[in-house]
Amino acid sequence: MTGVDVDVTRMAAELPASLSRLLERFKEGKVAALARAISVAEDERPDFQALLHAVLADGPSGARVGFTGPPGAGKSSLVAAAAVAYRARDERVGIVAVDPTSPYSGGALLGDRIRMNDLATDPGIFIRSMATRGSLGGLATTSKEVIDLMDAFGFERVLVETVGVGQSELEITAAADTVVVVLTPESGDAIQAMKAGLMEIADIFVVNKADRAGALRLLKEIRQAIHLRAGDTMRDVPAHHGVDLSGIGPKRAQRVPPDGDAGWQIPVLPTVAQTGEGVGELLDAVDRHRDWLVESGALAERRRARARRRVHEVVDRELRRVAWRSAAVGELLERGLDQIQHASATPYSVAARILRALLPEE
Amino acid sequence: MTGVDVDVTRMAAELPASLSRLLERFKEGKVAALARAISVAEDERPDFQALLHAVLADGPSGARVGFTGPPGAGKSSLVAAAAVAYRARDERVGIVAVDPTSPYSGGALLGDRIRMNDLATDPGIFIRSMATRGSLGGLATTSKEVIDLMDAFGFERVLVETVGVGQSELEITAAADTVVVVLTPESGDAIQAMKAGLMEIADIFVVNKADRAGALRLLKEIRQAIHLRAGDTMRDVPAHHGVDLSGIGPKRAQRVPPDGDAGWQIPVLPTVAQTGEGVGELLDAVDRHRDWLVESGALAERRRARARRRVHEVVDRELRRVAWRSAAVGELLERGLDQIQHASATPYSVAARILRALLPEE
């Protein structure tokens, strides 16, 4: 299998003139250049990897905070309230919403307290909503590249909102330094949250809409569940081809060691995003978690695990591209599909034929 | 890049003795053999692709019905009620639950009306719950292979339950012949469902818990939304490297043509899974959809699109495996991660180095 592409081999060389200008304006802090760079990455335009390489040369520096939880938990309101609070401290905020139902475009957040216009017209806030649909398989990588771009642009905080169900959520939380899991009294009990795996990814738990019935009980249940879990032995993370999960395994183990001293104690905090109650305490907890990440060395580890996954993703994406653009492979595929339709082949035998064409034996 | 693996080249040749025996028992209809075949596929054990090739040689024949929707919509209860109804018709039913909170293990479904034991001890029902976590990237392919295995085993109906958020859900619905989207009065309005893309994948809409307040309104809203949508022109499906979506595009266009005659009219049905109300009508609609699929040629098209995606997935999985098992690549990766940590490389330059090693230029 041969045929390294121009955009890959050119990596270390010069960017084309149009992207050079874009890079320059990006580094000058022009918001329009950030928006354009995101489009270039999302659409995987020619040389987008070279652009990302140039933009990300200095490595990550912002604090990436992921907010996840079931639909209706008030994640958007909490993210908006956090953004407003960070702005009050004069920190610049990037928001990536990977949630088809997030209300970041138009309308009002937090009832009428924060209108979207307040956020959208503040030059210190940049919001990007990303669809989870119509981009099968491309979601995870592109979303993470958008987060990287916001970080590189100089936002001190990059807030990422994802719906907390399924693998897309796990993928995205792997891109955050601090993961805030948001639940509500309505979203079910702590047992359900544990079942859904939220316990394993949370650095901080928030019970939002804490003025509603059942909030105290849920707070208590989560605290008990964390306490129980702290006694667990470290669990194995299943290996998977081409994806290294080592950054997730140690994270868990470090966070809740049996003795709970050197590790991170997961806070469980009540908030009412609509009124802003508890939001200050949440942001304090995020800062404490940040300090812990830095001091314990966990931040460096998470960043290394993240870089490892990114390398895997970029390599795999390029391998797929090189493999499927071959005309011979296309013919094998179409002929094979005809045979499958007449039950004289299966996807496995067709795949084997294609692999033999792509990977000749020594 | 060289090195086709034994399990791929052996595809057309003999299975090892242990899998030959497994295949034999599978074809004899032994449930234990189905369970074991599923494990072999899930764990990607040696020769699992050869086993799948042998098992799937006759092509699909069962009716695959996907149930999807937000958490709490009552999908599990509806699937259980459907399973009971199919059993009453003496059809055998396989159930694949790709939902971490599905109550298929232990406890009661539908209040106390159907106890799990009733389902679990019926030899005409086989239930497999699959985690959506801990198998990053592997979920979609393996789930679909489990569905294939149940179909090949001879279940007339394979019911698939997924949580309807994010891409995992879209991936799975691409594996079903008929997609039932389940909503409840509590799960939000039709506008939200449309935003979440559920409108685009539904062959049948169900408003479950239809005895609750707001059900009539939701039914009406969905019907209006479908009516509005039927006037839409066909929408483009974005292309993505290596994944052909042609089976999804035409599906939409065929289903709701402007004139609504040759196409499928999406039914919107009320059910109360707990009491069984409306379940008969739902199963009738599933059968009508099946007839339409066969007569319109849409079934053949969906199967071809499904086979196309499977071939892509199998090839991509194998390419990743071959690429990352090389020791030289492993060294490039580790050295690159060190450099990234010291900001003297980025994931993109490291990936480019690895790709140059894997894909030498002519």
Side-chain angles (χ1 to χ4, degrees):
Chain A
M1 192 157 121
T2 61
V4 178
D5 239 45
V6 176
D7 54 348
V8 176
T9 51
R10 190 187 276 173
M11 195 66 64
E14 290 288 299
L15 280 173
S18 66
L19 290 186
S20 281
R21 279 193 303 276
L22 175 58
L23 178 62
E24 208 171 291
R25 292 177 51 243
F26 185 98
K27 291 192 167 170
E28 286 166 5
K30 306 276 197 247
V31 171
L34 169 59
R36 172 129 176 74
I38 289 174
S39 296
V40 169
E42 280 187 332
D43 301 347
E44 302 188 7
R45 288 193 212 150
D47 296 301
F48 79 98
Q49 301 190 111
L51 176 69
L52 284 164
H53 170 70
V55 163
L56 306 181
D58 297 334
S61 64
R64 298 154 182 230
V65 187
F67 291 78
T68 194
K75 296 181 295 295
S76 304
S77 297
L78 208 55
V79 167
V84 169
Y86 283 132
R87 289 302 294 143
R89 296 193 204 166
D90 217 27
E91 293 183 316
R92 294 192 309 157
V93 181
I95 299 176
V96 182
V98 191
D99 179 348
T101 60
S102 280
Y104 290 104
S105 56
L109 278 169
L110 316 184
D112 280 323
R113 214 168 61 80
I114 301 179
R115 292 213 65 88
M116 277 311 304
N117 289 347
D118 298 347
L119 293 183
T121 59
D122 178 343
I125 293 186
F126 187 90
I127 302 171
R128 186 76 175 201
S129 293
M130 309 192 67
T132 53
R133 303 192 162 275
S135 60
L136 262 174
L139 160 78
T141 306
T142 310
S143 306
K144 284 181 269 184
E145 279 157 355
V146 171
I147 298 168
D148 282 346
L149 284 168
M150 288 199 181
D151 184 341
F153 190 73
F155 290 116
E156 284 90 351
R157 308 280 172 173
V158 181
L159 311 181
V160 185
E161 180 198 344
T162 59
V163 171
V165 186
Q167 70 178 26
S168 68
E169 172 269 327
L170 211 164
E171 294 262 326
I172 300 291
T173 54
D177 301 322
T178 300
V179 176
V180 179
V181 171
V182 185
L183 299 175
T184 58
E186 289 86 2
S187 63
D189 57 17
I191 310 291
Q192 244 188 327
M194 283 187 77
K195 266 198 194 166
L198 292 172
M199 201 62 71
E200 295 170 12
I201 60 167
D203 295 308
I204 296 169
F205 266 108
V206 162
V207 173
N208 192 32
K209 306 185 185 177
D211 50 349
R212 298 201 184 166
L216 270 177
R217 189 179 147 184
L218 180 58
L219 281 165
K220 203 173 139 193
E221 280 177 353
I222 298 171
R223 286 183 184 129
Q224 280 173 341
I226 290 172
H227 188 70
L228 282 174
R229 205 183 151 71
D232 281 3
T233 49
M234 181 178 166
R235 297 207 291 164
D236 282 342
V237 176
H240 183 73
H241 299 314
V243 178
D244 189 290
L245 296 172
S246 57
I248 297 175
K251 173 183 157 186
R252 286 189 201 161
Q254 284 189 353
R255 202 170 45 209
V256 277
D259 297 329
D261 203 14
W264 170 251
Q265 304 288 339
I266 304 172
V268 185
L269 306 170
T271 61
V272 184
Q274 297 271 344
T275 63
E277 255 175 285
V279 172
E281 288 79 358
L282 168 60
L283 300 192
D284 289 346
V286 169
D287 285 343
R288 281 203 312 280
H289 184 251
R290 183 83 188 168
D291 293 342
W292 174 80
L293 282 173
V294 173
E295 285 160 20
S296 66
L299 184 60
E301 250 180 62
R302 286 187 189 194
R303 283 179 171 168
R304 188 178 176 99
R306 197 186 295 160
R308 183 188 296 274
R309 295 193 55 194
R310 185 65 49 86
V311 173
H312 273 278
E313 288 163 356
V314 173
V315 168
D316 293 345
R317 178 165 63 189
E318 194 64 15
L319 285 179
R320 280 199 303 275
R321 217 164 62 78
V322 171
W324 292 107
R325 73 173 172 195
S326 139
V329 166
E331 272 167 45
L332 281 175
L333 175 61
E334 296 305 326
R335 199 167 358 121
L337 291 175
D338 292 340
Q339 293 175 334
I340 291 171
Q341 201 157 357
H342 300 99
S344 63
T346 71
Y348 300 93
S349 57
V350 174
R353 243 179 268 158
I354 290 172
L355 284 162
R356 274 195 293 271
L358 288 170
L359 310 170
E361 288 193 85
E362 300 282 42
Chain B
M1 192 157 121
T2 61
V4 179
D5 240 45
V6 176
D7 54 348
V8 176
T9 52
R10 191 186 277 173
M11 196 66 64
E14 290 288 299
L15 280 173
S18 66
L19 290 187
S20 281
R21 278 194 303 276
L22 176 58
L23 178 62
E24 207 171 292
R25 293 176 51 245
F26 185 97
K27 290 191 167 172
E28 285 165 6
K30 305 275 198 245
V31 170
L34 169 59
R36 171 127 176 76
I38 289 174
S39 297
V40 169
E42 280 187 333
D43 301 348
E44 302 188 6
R45 289 194 213 147
D47 295 301
F48 78 99
Q49 300 191 112
L51 176 69
L52 284 165
H53 170 70
V55 163
L56 305 181
D58 296 335
S61 64
R64 300 153 181 232
V65 187
F67 291 78
T68 193
K75 296 181 294 296
S76 304
S77 296
L78 208 54
V79 167
V84 169
Y86 283 131
R87 290 301 296 141
R89 297 193 204 166
D90 216 27
E91 293 183 317
R92 294 192 310 157
V93 181
I95 298 176
V96 182
V98 192
D99 179 347
T101 60
S102 280
Y104 291 103
S105 54
L109 278 169
L110 315 185
D112 280 323
R113 213 167 61 81
I114 301 180
R115 292 212 65 88
M116 277 312 304
N117 289 347
D118 298 347
L119 293 183
T121 58
D122 178 344
I125 293 187
F126 186 91
I127 302 172
R128 186 77 177 203
S129 293
M130 309 192 66
T132 53
R133 304 191 161 280
S135 60
L136 261 175
L139 161 77
T141 306
T142 311
S143 306
K144 284 180 272 184
E145 278 157 355
V146 171
I147 298 167
D148 282 345
L149 284 168
M150 288 199 181
D151 184 342
F153 190 72
F155 291 117
E156 283 90 351
R157 307 281 172 172
V158 181
L159 311 181
V160 185
E161 181 198 341
T162 60
V163 171
V165 187
Q167 70 178 25
S168 67
E169 173 267 329
L170 210 163
E171 295 262 325
I172 300 291
T173 54
D177 300 322
T178 299
V179 176
V180 179
V181 171
V182 186
L183 299 175
T184 59
E186 288 87 1
S187 63
D189 57 18
I191 310 290
Q192 244 188 328
M194 283 187 77
K195 266 198 195 166
L198 292 173
M199 200 61 70
E200 295 171 11
I201 60 166
D203 295 308
I204 296 170
F205 266 108
V206 161
V207 173
N208 192 32
K209 306 184 186 176
D211 50 349
R212 298 201 185 166
L216 270 177
R217 190 180 146 182
L218 180 58
L219 281 165
K220 203 174 140 194
E221 281 177 352
I222 298 171
R223 285 183 185 132
Q224 280 174 340
I226 290 171
H227 187 71
L228 283 174
R229 207 184 149 69
D232 281 3
T233 49
M234 181 179 168
R235 297 208 292 166
D236 282 341
V237 176
H240 184 71
H241 298 313
V243 178
D244 189 290
L245 297 172
S246 57
I248 297 176
K251 172 183 157 189
R252 284 189 202 162
Q254 283 187 351
R255 203 170 45 210
V256 277
D259 297 328
D261 203 15
W264 171 249
Q265 304 289 340
I266 304 172
V268 185
L269 307 169
T271 61
V272 185
Q274 296 271 346
T275 63
E277 254 175 286
V279 172
E281 288 80 357
L282 168 60
L283 300 192
D284 288 346
V286 169
D287 285 343
R288 281 202 312 279
H289 184 251
R290 183 84 187 165
D291 292 342
W292 174 81
L293 282 173
V294 173
E295 285 159 21
S296 66
L299 184 61
E301 251 180 61
R302 286 187 188 192
R303 283 179 171 167
R304 189 179 176 100
R306 197 187 294 159
R308 184 187 295 274
R309 295 192 54 191
R310 185 65 49 85
V311 174
H312 273 278
E313 287 163 356
V314 173
V315 169
D316 292 345
R317 178 165 64 189
E318 193 65 15
L319 285 179
R320 283 198 301 274
R321 219 165 61 78
V322 171
W324 293 107
R325 72 173 174 196
S326 139
V329 166
E331 273 168 43
L332 281 175
L333 176 62
E334 296 306 326
R335 196 162 6 115
L337 290 175
D338 291 341
Q339 292 174 335
I340 291 171
Q341 200 157 357
H342 300 99
S344 63
T346 71
Y348 300 92
S349 58
V350 174
R353 244 180 266 157
I354 290 172
L355 284 162
R356 273 194 294 271
L358 288 170
L359 310 172
E361 287 193 85
E362 300 279 46

